[in-house]
Every structure is written in structure tokens, then in C-alpha cells.
Amino acid sequence: MWSFLCGSAFKSNGCVTEICCDEAKYVWTITDFDFHEAKGVKLYSPPFSSVNNNQVKWILELRPNGDTDAKDSFGLYIRLSKLSSLEKSKKIFAKVTFYILNSKNKEKDCLPFNNVKEFSHSEDKYSAWGFPEYIKKDKYFRNKLLSNNALTIGCEVKFSDIQDITNSIHKCEFDIEMPECDLSENIASFFENQTLTDVILNVNGKEYPAHKTVLAARSPVFCAMFKHSTKEYELNRVDIVDINEAVVEEMLKYVYTGKCEVPDELAEGLLAAADKYDLDRLKIMCAKKLINGLSVKNAVSTLILADMHSNEYLNRKTIKFIVANFAQVLNTVDWKNLLSSNPQLVHDVCQAVARK
């Protein structure tokens, strides 16, 4: 198949030979640098690795007074950690860059190894590479690179364990672009075109053909309904009497596409539908829409709605709004009705006011 693709189906512009490389980035902060400087003992960072390859672990080594008798600079090295889970005979090839982060978190005195270096991993030999005199410990160093007597070193390692060129990857470039994934559009088209539908949602006499598999995949409630010998499973029909047609249409649009604009006039109904069929993401969408539309006039009714559907996020945000506008909300008819109809909600609001 590969030779067919390269030779016949497409015109090839060329080939790229590419080695698989990993990259590890690490920042090491040494506090109380003058104490380490006075003691003069080598310091070692904790082992670190790349996100994709935790078999190869690196370790930094700081020599506070360098490798000379002058002690006017410090040395910085990198080597493989003994914790690396590699074969003893395997070699790692790497490019390394060291830098210092100053008090403003800006990179200073960046020094790279311009060439690829070889690092070995064996019981008796852990080769290290670095700079015996990385930075002079002069006035610039102490005033500009030390922050509250702390030294912050950054390290970037690009490495590969490739042994020879036969293990490299060859990529052919073609005159063709990878098309975007259109899975959601494909699924939505099945609903729009009523293709291969196997269940009817009956909403007050209006019928919506749908697919059991899609409904079950998106909603735990529909999933339970179609997995067992329920009336809906036997008849391939779901009667919905407590949600109106406009809301069901928006809910189905969300089920098949994962998208929903949540019209202002349908936000409350969609929240109820999302709660009934356990559509968590749609619940959050509706809650955000209702929060954005909060006013003194509708705050209490929104709080009642949040409580009715156990929506903690909407409840918390609405109480916060009421507390901020308490004097005005207190004079509304809805608040006066709430005093007798739901004392617990009144208590929750008053507690929030007391904590303010």
C-alpha cells in the first residue's frame, strides 16, 4: 500500500527523513544561594523527564564554586539520572540549553550546547556535560540574576535514543491536505435527513424521528430506557408530555451536534429538559444564559428554578446577585411570596447577606 501511495496515486514532491525526538523542560530554584556557596558542596536537582518519555530521566548538577581554585564562578552540568529505565548499552543523544531566570522571570545568559552530545547509561559511568565556569559571580550576577538570594536555573533538553539512521522516519510530502474531521456534521445529517431512524419522540402530538444509539450515547436516562424492556423500548416510541416542541427541538440539536445557542425565551425550559435527561453540559449552558440575564425582577424566580433542578452553580450565582441587590429584591412581589412558599431559600439568602 505504501509504494502505491508514493508511486501511483499522488505526485510526490519529495521526502523528509525525520528522527523522533523528545523535549524536556525544567526549572530549578535554589534558595539561600550564599549558604551553598559558603559550603561549596555539589547540588543535584530532582530527576525530570519529558511529558511523553518518562524512561529517560535527567538530573542537573550545580557546583557553587565552579571547578577552579578561584571560586569566582559556578559550574553547571546535566547528566542522565540513575532512575532512567534504559538498557545499559543504550545511548542518548541530546542538545541542551541552560539559562538563568532573573527576578522578572526573564531568561538571561542563555548558553546552549551547539552540538549533539552523547550520554551513556551504565552502572559505572554516567557521563555529564556542562560548563565548568557557567557564570561569573560578579556584581551583575548578585544584583541582577539572584532574586532574594535565590538562583533559578532553566534547562531545555531535546533528545533521542536513535542508534542508527535505519530507525529514522521517512515522510513523503504529497499535493493533498488532510480534510477536517466532520463526524459531528455526519451524525447531525442523519437526524436532519431522518436517515435510519429507529425511535419516535412524540411531543404533544408532534413526532420527531431519532436514533436510539445516539440518544443513549448522549443521555444516561435514554440509555437506561433503551437497555431494558421498557414500554419505550418495546414500542420504539417515547411520549414527552412535560416539555414543549421548541425546547425538544433545541435539545435534539444539542444531542446530535453538541452545540446549542440557548435562546433567552427557552433557557428555563431547556434547563428543565437537560435536568430530566441528565445532559450535564447543556445544564451548564442554560445556567450561564440565565445568569447573564439576571435582574432584580427575575432573580427570585431564577433562584426557585435553580432549587427545583438542584443546580448548585445557578443557585450560588443567583444568591450572590440577590445579596448584591438585596434592598431592591426585598421590595419585589416574588420575594414577599417566597417568604411564605419557601422559607429554606429565604434562610439561605439571609445567611449569605449575613456573611457579606
Side-chain angles (χ1 to χ4, degrees):
M1 180 180 289
W2 179 248
S3 59
F4 168 77
L5 290 176
C6 281
S8 302
F10 304 105
K11 179 184 176 182
S12 174
N13 290 331
C15 254
V16 176
T17 299
E18 187 177 278
I19 294 175
C20 290
C21 290
D22 284 295
E23 189 170 14
K25 297 182 179 181
Y26 192 70
V27 174
W28 181 25
T29 298
I30 300 125
T31 60
D32 300 313
F33 181 78
D34 54 355
F35 281 88
H36 299 294
E37 187 179 16
K39 193 172 183 181
V41 178
K42 296 176 184 178
L43 301 174
Y44 299 95
S45 74
F48 62 93
S49 60
S50 71
V51 174
N52 300 318
N53 188 343
N54 60 10
Q55 288 187 326
V56 180
K57 296 183 184 295
W58 302 91
I59 196 166
L60 299 179
E61 177 184 319
L62 178 79
R63 302 178 186 179
N65 294 319
D67 292 333
T68 66
D69 294 334
K71 297 183 179 181
D72 60 349
S73 60
F74 70 83
L76 186 59
Y77 297 84
I78 186 171
R79 62 177 173 79
L80 286 171
S81 167
K82 295 181 180 180
L83 298 177
S84 299
S85 52
L86 296 169
E87 297 175 11
K88 294 178 182 179
S89 60
K90 184 166 282 190
K91 296 176 181 178
I92 300 295
F93 300 88
K95 283 185 176 182
V96 183
T97 298
F98 291 131
Y99 56 87
I100 304 294
L101 284 175
N102 66 10
S103 57
K104 296 181 180 178
N105 265 354
K106 293 194 174 178
E107 296 180 12
K108 295 290 183 181
D109 295 278
C110 180
L111 286 181
F113 291 148
N114 293 320
N115 299 321
V116 175
K117 303 297 182 182
E118 178 185 313
F119 292 81
S120 62
H121 180 82
S122 62
E123 291 183 357
D124 58 351
K125 183 180 180 182
Y126 292 88
S127 55
W129 288 90
F131 298 94
E133 298 180 358
Y134 179 61
I135 296 258
K136 291 287 184 182
K137 296 184 293 184
D138 52 16
K139 187 178 293 186
Y140 168 77
F141 168 76
R142 300 191 186 280
N143 294 338
K144 300 294 184 180
L145 300 184
L146 287 182
S147 177
N148 294 324
N149 200 26
L151 175 64
T152 300
I153 297 168
C155 176
E156 296 182 5
V157 192
K158 186 175 182 180
F159 63 94
S160 172
D161 60 2
I162 186 169
Q163 296 299 310
D164 58 65
I165 201 67
T166 60
N167 292 328
S168 58
I169 298 173
H170 301 281
K171 290 185 177 180
C172 289
E173 298 178 353
F174 304 108
D175 292 327
I176 187 170
E177 291 185 2
M178 180 66 70
E180 294 292 329
C181 177
D182 53 2
L183 177 62
S184 61
E185 289 83 355
N186 294 152
I187 294 175
S189 70
F190 269 66
F191 175 69
E192 292 168 3
N193 301 323
Q194 299 182 9
T195 306
L196 301 176
T197 57
D198 56 2
V199 67
I200 295 291
L201 301 187
N202 174 43
V203 186
N204 301 321
K206 186 169 183 178
E207 295 184 342
Y208 297 90
H211 305 81
K212 289 180 181 178
T213 302
V214 176
L215 295 177
R218 302 286 281 155
S219 162
V221 176
F222 279 124
C223 185
M225 188 184 294
F226 298 137
K227 279 176 65 177
H228 302 96
S229 297
T230 61
K231 178 183 70 173
E232 291 82 5
Y233 174 80
E234 298 293 340
L235 299 177
N236 296 323
R237 182 183 182 87
V238 180
D239 292 316
I240 301 175
V241 297
D242 54 348
I243 306 175
N244 67 42
E245 295 93 327
V247 169
V248 170
E249 288 175 10
E250 285 297 329
M251 182 185 76
L252 286 173
K253 185 188 299 182
Y254 167 78
V255 165
Y256 277 85
T257 67
K259 302 173 184 177
C260 183
E261 296 299 327
V262 188
D264 293 336
E265 67 277 10
L266 299 181
E268 292 187 15
L270 271 171
L271 178 64
D275 184 39
K276 178 178 179 178
Y277 293 107
D278 203 7
L279 302 168
D280 288 339
R281 189 164 180 267
L282 183 57
K283 282 190 245 182
I284 295 173
M285 290 178 178
C286 294
K288 285 183 175 291
K289 173 65 75 169
L290 289 165
I291 289 164
N292 289 336
L294 276 172
S295 66
V296 170
K297 185 177 180 180
N298 67 20
V300 172
S301 61
T302 303
L303 181 62
I304 294 171
L305 186 72
D307 181 63
M308 185 186 305
H309 297 293
S310 303
N311 195 303
E312 181 61 30
Y313 174 66
L314 181 59
N315 179 285
R316 188 171 64 252
K317 292 288 189 179
T318 306
I319 287 179
K320 185 177 180 180
F321 177 87
I322 292 175
V323 170
N325 301 274
F326 190 59
Q328 296 165 280
V329 174
L330 204 64
N331 292 321
T332 63
V333 174
D334 283 348
W335 176 260
K336 293 171 183 176
N337 292 335
L338 190 67
L339 291 172
S340 57
S341 63
N342 199 328
Q344 182 58 51
L345 281 182
V346 174
H347 175 72
D348 293 344
V349 172
C350 291
Q351 274 196 327
V353 172
R355 288 195 298 267
K356 184 179 178 182

